[in-house]
Amino acid sequence: MVKRVRPLEALKKSVGSWVVLATVAGCGGPKGPPPAPPPREINVVSLAPHEVRDTGEYLGSLLSRQSVTVMPQVAGYVRKILVHPGQKIEAGAALVEVDARVDTAALDSAQAQLSSTKVNLELARSTLARVEALRKEGLASAQELDAARAQVEASEAASRSSAAQVTQRQVQLQYNVVRAPFAGTVGDVLVRVGDFVSATSQLTSIAQADALEVSVSVPSTRARELKPDTAVEILDGQGKVLLTSTVFFVAPQADPRTQLVEVKAAFRNTVGLRPSELVRTRLVYSVRDALQIPALAVVRQSGQPFALIVQEKEGKTVVERRPITLGALGERAYVVQKGLKAGDFVAVSSMQALRDGMPVKVKAVSYDDVVSGGTQVIGSR
């Protein structure tokens, strides 16, 4: 029996056989080169000079420009305390009242003496007028006239002396109320009502916190770089600038033990600082423009710093590793001393994956965004 084969099925078998043969033949032939990977996309920044400040940071002590320990000018018992610690007072405000009964009695006695001398003076003047009238009529001698005049002069002198005694006692009586010499804040009150005080007793203290000085000690080598307009900055715990002033005093000699030189600056206290407080203080020795590179754009090998420069070569954008010489480190950038120039593009991303001569696709980013701030502070001591 003869089996008939349909033409369509025969064609399918024939095509399938050729496909199998072509597949087998392809597996045994040579392989072509794999397609090149696309260039890696990286961020780059263009280098340009930025402001660099040569600074030194020290621990400073705050001093009140007006601070005094209050002591009485008379001896006696404390009768009243008119202020409390921490109170803000004006100039001339009463602080403590000392027993004034003895001085009051002395003033009363001096005033009585003054009244007596005034009466004697009036009597002496009346006597002089009568003697002068009698002298004109020839009823009084020249000696009597001279005596009357002398009595008037003595009475006038006694009156002036008594008046001076009264003034002295009045001034002395004012000392029984101790007053503030200037406006400020009252410190701790060291006496109590009933305490006996003298001219050497400390009653309290007054400090003016509105105007403060900061005192820092700097190395003598750095003190030589200070100028009258050298900026001084008071910083908070996070390094933020609270107050800015300029140097007004540089000690003429260094401390013989530490070889440090005292430097002072004055400022208006607008942020609530207190006398005797210790604060972070930064001196700005110089300001200049210099080429800088972000710290994250620096790679090191065996201690040698390199920068990955992006440039065009043979129609491609490639990475070139270039050795550089760095200066001082700022907050997030180095000063470049050698190896780079303004306008160079440096890679700031994928640093570990980049190789010398590797093609890349670049995306320009802002230098300020990379270093998180425009002005860089270069710290040195």
Side-chain angles (χ1 to χ4, degrees):
M1 184 177 191
V2 179
K3 185 177 181 181
R4 299 180 64 183
V5 179
R6 296 181 181 179
L8 182 58
E9 293 179 355
L11 180 60
K12 290 182 179 179
K13 290 181 180 180
S14 176
V15 172
S17 300
W18 281 106
V19 170
V20 172
L21 292 174
T23 303
V24 173
C27 292
K31 296 182 180 179
R40 178 184 291 270
E41 182 175 347
I42 62 172
N43 295 332
V44 298
V45 297
S46 177
L47 299 184
H50 290 78
E51 184 179 276
V52 176
R53 302 194 303 166
D54 181 14
T55 68
E57 189 171 315
Y58 311 95
L59 186 63
S61 176
L62 296 181
L63 308 172
S64 174
R65 302 208 74 183
Q66 282 192 309
S67 178
V68 65
T69 298
V70 180
M71 294 184 288
Q73 293 181 266
V74 296
Y77 291 94
V78 176
R79 295 191 63 187
K80 293 181 181 179
I81 297 176
L82 307 173
V83 293
H84 57 80
Q87 179 179 344
K88 294 185 180 298
I89 56 172
E90 298 296 330
L95 305 175
V96 176
E97 182 179 329
V98 180
D99 188 6
R101 287 175 293 182
V102 174
D103 293 320
T104 301
L107 176 60
D108 293 340
S109 176
Q111 289 175 336
Q113 184 65 28
L114 176 61
S115 298
S116 177
T117 56
K118 287 182 178 179
V119 172
N120 291 336
L121 177 59
E122 292 298 326
L123 178 60
R125 287 173 177 173
S126 298
T127 301
L128 176 59
R130 287 194 298 268
V131 171
E132 287 176 343
L134 293 173
R135 177 61 179 168
K136 290 179 181 180
E137 296 177 1
L139 300 176
S141 64
Q143 184 178 2
E144 291 175 334
L145 180 59
D146 292 339
R149 289 174 177 171
Q151 184 62 36
V152 170
E153 292 177 357
S155 297
E156 289 177 345
S159 179
R160 289 195 298 271
S161 176
S162 297
Q165 289 290 330
V166 170
T167 302
Q168 180 182 4
R169 295 299 180 184
Q170 288 174 339
V171 173
Q172 189 74 13
L173 188 61
Q174 293 177 359
Y175 294 153
N176 289 82
V177 178
V178 182
R179 298 184 180 275
F182 51 80
T185 304
V186 178
D188 189 18
V189 179
L190 304 176
V191 295
R192 299 293 181 266
V193 174
D195 289 349
F196 183 84
V197 297
S198 63
T200 60
S201 302
Q202 296 184 7
L203 303 179
T204 184
S205 63
I206 298 177
Q208 192 177 71
D210 294 337
L212 296 180
E213 294 178 1
V214 60
S215 173
V216 298
S217 296
V218 304
S220 56
T221 54
R222 302 242 62 182
R224 302 188 194 107
E225 305 175 27
L226 294 174
K227 301 176 182 178
D229 60 345
T230 298
V232 179
E233 298 174 342
I234 306 299
L235 311 177
D236 63 8
Q238 288 71 41
K240 179 182 177 182
V241 177
L242 297 176
L243 297 167
T244 302
S245 184
T246 55
V247 171
F248 78 88
F249 171 78
V250 179
Q253 62 184 16
D255 188 301
R257 297 175 301 170
T258 63
Q259 289 300 295
L260 299 177
V261 178
E262 184 182 23
V263 178
K264 291 184 178 181
F267 57 90
R268 300 296 301 178
N269 181 19
T270 58
V271 293
L273 298 176
R274 298 179 181 275
S276 300
E277 186 176 347
L278 298 179
V279 292
R280 291 175 61 184
T281 307
R282 185 163 62 202
L283 272 66
V284 183
Y285 293 102
S286 64
V287 179
R288 60 188 174 89
D289 286 338
L291 193 66
Q292 297 178 75
I293 182 173
L296 58 83
V298 177
V299 294
R300 296 180 183 271
Q301 182 176 358
S302 300
Q304 171 64 47
F306 292 87
L308 299 176
I309 308 302
V310 177
Q311 58 183 0
E312 295 292 330
K313 182 178 292 186
E314 298 178 356
K316 297 181 180 181
T317 303
V318 298
V319 173
E320 176 186 337
R321 194 172 72 163
R322 184 180 300 175
I324 56 177
T325 302
L326 300 177
L329 173 63
E331 291 181 355
R332 294 180 177 86
Y334 286 97
V335 172
V336 179
Q337 295 181 341
K338 188 178 179 181
L340 298 174
K341 64 182 184 299
D344 284 342
F345 287 91
V346 296
V348 293
S349 66
S350 304
M351 305 301 295
Q352 301 300 323
L354 299 180
R355 298 293 180 267
D356 198 18
M358 179 178 178
V360 292
K361 180 181 179 182
V362 300
K363 176 184 178 183
V365 295
S366 170
Y367 176 89
D368 292 344
D369 291 340
V370 174
V371 299
S372 299
T375 300
Q376 299 304 300
V377 180
I378 303 304
S380 60
R381 296 186 180 274

